[in-house]
RNA sequence: GGUGAGGUGGCCGAGUGGCUUAAGGCGCACGCUUGGAAAGCGUGUAAACGGGAAACCGUUUCGGGGGUUCGAAUCCCUUCCUCACCGCCA
């Protein structure tokens, strides 16, 4: 959420930046500022009345104390009238605040000035490409075939007990999954992140804090009876640890493995085949809370960290800078990672590393005290390091040989085997 | 699920309608003291919004919401959460 006062001060430049995201916010800005003007005027009137009311109450108390009940009673009427009108004003103020809030949550974060204009993912810019693209043997298969042939994943069994998009990992397939989770966590811990294992259900306030509510209501699984939501990413519980917190030291670095639950309403076709898109999947997330002056430096460090994991796994990948049109609502700058999955000859998104600047922090009330003792908003960043299913798909597709599926060196101590036959 | 006790500034904790502008303690910061430190003494120590160049002032906030009252941390209703014991259970 953008801050209303910042919008006031920087209207023109903000409008120009939002154009990069293909958003024309001129009307929203003018209406939100008008409402805010009204809010201020209302508050001033209400405050005046309340001051008077407080003074009267005090006077009445003092009159009673010295036994002048008649004089005290005479003041009660006035006090009651003031009470009524101040209540009305406070109600109006609350209503205006809600209206302002409702507008502000509709305005996306400003993109970083370096973000290229663009309509869709076709306009993203490839920053780096790391090869080589593997040449597979004749008759190479996509992962959904391999997982069946080698008994790694039972999609049918998942269909039976839950439904499509809920695979059951079996035997060495399950071991490989577990190995990847541990490998990613260890990599992150070695890079200075603190590991957390958070709850997988969160309350409504947390979903508001990171912005899943109100706009993505339909994308999440919801337990109505307890009003709890299944998390779509570890970002939600972990970032919300710091809701309403005034942090003392930077940076804060967290990593967490969680399953992620997404309804993915409206997805279909080859996009969802096999492991490409699931309703439940595993992911290891990294989150940082940083001082505003250091957040872009940190973003680079996080991008390099994710790249180093892919290097170690010997996967071909490319790093993309998202254009305005593809940038998420809350993000100012995002780098996506895609790995090449040779069996289906496709690039698959496996990580998205973003700087949200103060956008989430404003919602979360996540702040620090600057050198002058003034309260300021922190910057938040997060990224996947990494999302499992597509890494899994690329790993087994790219490493398939006539003898079996080879496990990259870095993972062997985690799996306990170097080939799946 | 049942019964009971609670939720008060960063923390502990007092507070049964006006003397609370939330006591007292701990912690933290600054100062005095000291060769230096500790102790001691003193001062200060929340956030949001509004007004103001600033100093500062006003309003709101004692889990959340609503009510009674001229006046609520305190009384009433409601809701959430925590703890203890019991029941069930990995």
């Amino acid at each position: 959420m953008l801050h209303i006062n910042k919008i006031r001060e920087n209207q023109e430049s903000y409008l120009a930046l939002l154009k990069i995201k293909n958003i024309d916010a001129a009307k929203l800005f003018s209406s939100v500022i008008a409402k805010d003007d009204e809010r201020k005027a209302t508050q001033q009137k209400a405050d005046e009345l309340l001051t008077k009311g407080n003074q009267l109450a005090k006077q009445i108390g003092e009159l009673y104390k010295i036994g002048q009940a008649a004089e005290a009673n005479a003041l009660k009427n006035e006090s009651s009238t003031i009470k009524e009108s101040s209540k009305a004003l406070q109600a109006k103020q609350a209503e205006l605040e809600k209206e302002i809030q409702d507008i502000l949550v509709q305005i996306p974060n400003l993109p970083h000035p370096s973000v290229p204009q663009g309509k869709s993912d076709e306009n993203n810019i490839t920053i780096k490409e790391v090869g080589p693209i593997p040449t597979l043997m004749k008759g190479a298969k996509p992962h959904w075939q391999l997982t069946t042939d080698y008994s790694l994943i039972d999609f049918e069994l998942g269909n039976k007990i839950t439904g499509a998009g809920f695979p059951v990992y079996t035997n060495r397939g399950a071991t490989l999954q577990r190995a990847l989770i541990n490998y990613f966590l260890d990599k992150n811990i070695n890079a200075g992140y603190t590991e957390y294992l958070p709850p997988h259900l969160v309350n409504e306030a947390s979903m508001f804090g990171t912005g899943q509510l109100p706009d993505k209501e339909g994308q999440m699984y919801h337990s109505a009876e307890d009003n709890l939501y299944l998390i779509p990413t570890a970002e939600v519980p972990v970032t919300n640890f710091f809701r309403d917190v005034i942090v003392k030291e930077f940076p804060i670095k967290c990593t967490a493995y969680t399953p992620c639950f997404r309804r993915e309403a409206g997805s279909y076709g080859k996009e969802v085949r096999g492991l490409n898109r699931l309703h439940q999947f595993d992911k290891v997330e990294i989150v940082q809370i940083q001082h505003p002056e250091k957040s872009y430096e940190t973003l680079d460090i996080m991008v390099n960290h994710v790249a180093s994991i892919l290097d170690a796994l010997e996967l071909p990948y490319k790093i993309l800078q998202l254009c305005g049109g593809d940038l998420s609502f809350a993000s100012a700058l995002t780098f996506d990672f895609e790995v090449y999955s040779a069996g289906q000859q496709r690039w698959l998104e496996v990580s998205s590393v973003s700087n949200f600047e103060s956008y989430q922090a404003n919602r979360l009330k996540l702040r620090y005290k600057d050198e002058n003792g003034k309260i300021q908003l922190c910057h938040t960043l997060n990224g996947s390091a990494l999302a499992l299913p597509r890494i899994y798909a690329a790993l087994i597709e790219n490493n398939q040989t006539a003898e079996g599926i080879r496990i990259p060196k870095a993972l062997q101590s985690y799996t306990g085997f170097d080939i799946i036959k």
Side-chain angles (χ1 to χ4, degrees), chain A residues 137-389:
Chain A
M137 58 178 186
K138 234 184 144 189
K141 297 166 180 171
H143 68 270
W144 51 85
Q145 193 62 53
L146 295 167
T147 53
T148 303
D149 293 352
Y150 289 93
S151 300
L152 301 177
I153 297 178
D154 195 331
F155 288 98
E156 292 304 317
L157 200 54
N159 287 344
K160 175 183 170 185
I161 59 157
T162 307
F166 293 91
V168 177
Y169 299 79
T170 60
N171 294 311
R172 289 162 303 174
T175 306
L176 176 57
Q177 182 82 349
R178 187 156 48 83
L180 282 166
I181 293 167
N182 282 329
Y183 178 65
F184 293 154
L185 281 171
D186 284 351
K187 278 278 187 187
N188 297 341
I189 291 164
N190 287 337
Y193 292 87
T194 303
E195 183 184 354
Y196 291 86
L197 186 54
H200 301 159
L201 283 92
V202 298
N203 58 28
E204 214 177 335
S206 296
M207 282 299 186
F208 270 104
T210 28
Q212 277 72 23
L213 289 176
D215 17 308
K216 292 181 189 157
E217 172 95 61
Q219 286 296 324
M220 290 176 305
Y221 291 99
H222 179 222
S223 165
E225 186 137 21
D226 300 294
N227 197 23
L228 295 174
Y229 292 83
L230 278 99
I231 56 170
T233 159
E235 169 196 341
V236 177
V238 172
T239 312
N240 274 283
F241 292 162
F242 305 98
R243 171 151 47 87
D244 293 318
V245 167
I246 295 177
V247 305
K248 298 262 159 60
E249 251 182 293
F250 292 113
I252 295 172
K253 301 169 75 177
C254 307
T255 185
Y257 151 72
T258 67
C260 303
F261 302 90
R262 299 185 183 179
R263 294 187 61 228
E264 301 291 359
S267 299
Y268 57 89
K270 71 171 180 201
E271 296 287 324
V272 308
R273 189 95 195 255
L275 291 169
N276 288 348
R277 186 170 304 239
L278 300 171
H279 289 306
Q280 177 181 331
F281 63 96
D282 291 318
K283 180 158 65 67
V284 177
E285 184 81 0
I286 49 176
V287 172
Q288 287 213 37
I289 293 161
Q290 227 342 340
H291 189 282
E293 280 165 20
K294 295 244 175 88
S295 67
Y296 280 97
E297 191 185 312
T298 297
L299 181 66
D300 283 342
I301 292 169
M302 289 169 77
V303 166
N304 289 333
H305 174 65
V306 171
S308 75
I309 300 175
L310 293 172
D311 286 331
L313 288 177
E314 304 165 46
L315 288 168
Y317 66 94
K318 56 184 183 185
I319 305 176
L320 306 165
Q321 182 185 5
L322 297 195
C323 73
D326 207 24
L327 213 53
S328 75
F329 193 78
S331 175
L333 183 59
T334 296
F335 293 98
D336 268 9
F337 283 75
E338 295 184 351
V339 299
Y340 191 72
S341 206
Q344 43 182 337
Q345 300 181 0
R346 283 182 64 193
W347 290 94
L348 300 175
E349 185 192 330
V350 293
S351 178
S352 194
V353 184
S354 304
N355 187 354
F356 302 98
E357 296 194 5
S358 61
Y359 194 84
Q360 286 184 328
N362 189 29
R363 251 186 202 227
L364 290 159
K365 301 273 178 295
L366 164 49
R367 297 164 295 176
Y368 69 98
K369 272 190 184 153
D370 68 16
E371 47 301 338
N372 302 318
K374 278 191 75 180
I375 300 282
Q376 308 282 359
L377 293 169
C378 302
H379 280 192
T380 62
L381 305 97
N382 69 46
S384 347
L386 285 151
L388 280 269

Side-chain angles (χ1 to χ4, degrees), chain A residues 98-110:
Chain A
K98 189 179 175 301
E99 286 175 28
I100 289 164
Q101 182 84 358
D102 286 348
I103 297 174
L104 287 178
V105 298
Q106 290 175 49
I107 302 171
N109 198 8
L110 308 169

